[in-house]
Amino acid sequence: MQAHEAQGWISYAITAVVIGIVFAVRWRRMSIVKPLKLERLWVFPALYAAVALYMFVMYPPHGFAWLFCALALLMGAALGWQRGKLMRITIDPDSHALNTTSSPAAVLFIVAIVAVRTGARAVIGDGHVLHLDAFAITDLLVALALGLFTTQRIEMYLRAKRMLEH
C-alpha cells in the first residue's frame, strides 16, 4: 500500500470516528424537549443568508459554478424540507406551547447527507472532473446549506402554525 492510499484511509477513518462521536452525542440529547418559538425560527437562516450573500458578493462564483450553486440551493431546499418534516413538534395541551424534539430519522438524515458528501468527495476528488476549484466547491456547500437551513425552518413554521390553528 502506498503512503498516499494509507493517508486517504486514515482520513476516512478519522472522519468516521468524528461522525460517530457526534452522532452518539446527538442521539443522547434527542429526548430533550425544547421550546419552539415560531417568532425566532427566521433568525438563524437570516444570519446564514447574510454570510452567504457576503461570500457570494466578495468571492463570486465564475462560469458554470453559478449554475451548480443554483442547483445546490434547490437540492438543499429539498433536503431541508424533508428534514423539517422529520422534526417532532408537539403542543402542550394546557399551555398551548410548542415543543420540539429531534427525531432519530432527522439525525440519521444528516448523517446520510454527510456520508453522501464524503462519497462524492471521493468520486469527484479535487473537483477537476467538473472543472471546479476549491472556492467553487465551497460556494456549492454554502448554497446547499442555505437551502437546507431556510426550508427546514419554513416547513417547521408552517406545520406548527397549522397545529396551533386546530
Side-chain angles (χ1 to χ4, degrees):
M1 184 184 306
Q2 295 179 354
H4 186 322
E5 290 178 23
Q7 186 179 17
W9 283 105
I10 290 171
S11 173
Y12 287 124
I14 290 171
T15 302
V17 168
V18 169
I19 289 171
I21 291 170
V22 169
F23 183 69
V25 169
R26 291 286 301 191
W27 196 269
R28 287 187 56 213
R29 295 176 55 196
M30 257 191 291
S31 61
I32 298 173
V33 176
K34 294 176 244 165
L36 178 63
K37 304 290 184 192
L38 290 181
E39 62 275 3
R40 293 186 192 162
L41 282 175
W42 66 272
V43 174
F44 182 73
L47 291 173
Y48 191 82
V51 169
L53 180 64
Y54 173 79
M55 288 183 65
F56 285 130
V57 168
M58 296 305 293
Y59 312 104
H62 300 287
F64 280 115
W66 279 110
L67 174 65
F68 290 129
C69 286
L71 293 173
L73 181 69
L74 291 173
M75 187 164 63
L79 293 171
W81 192 267
Q82 184 61 36
R83 184 161 193 267
K85 286 172 50 174
L86 295 173
M87 300 299 288
R88 293 183 194 152
I89 299 174
T90 58
I91 298 177
D92 184 290
D94 298 328
S95 67
H96 294 287
L98 291 165
N99 296 306
T100 185
T101 54
S102 295
S103 76
V107 175
L108 289 173
F109 190 71
I110 289 296
V111 170
I113 290 172
V114 171
V116 167
R117 182 200 171 276
T118 303
R121 188 176 85 190
V123 170
I124 294 172
D126 58 6
H128 292 313
V129 173
L130 297 175
H131 305 289
L132 298 173
D133 59 8
F135 292 112
I137 293 171
T138 300
D139 292 338
L140 291 172
L141 294 175
V142 167
L144 181 90
L146 178 62
L148 189 130
F149 297 146
T150 303
T151 57
Q152 175 187 349
R153 282 158 176 86
I154 290 171
E155 195 285 332
M156 290 173 67
Y157 176 84
L158 293 173
R159 188 161 38 104
K161 281 296 254 188
R162 281 193 309 269
M163 290 171 73
L164 285 174
E165 290 171 358
H166 290 105

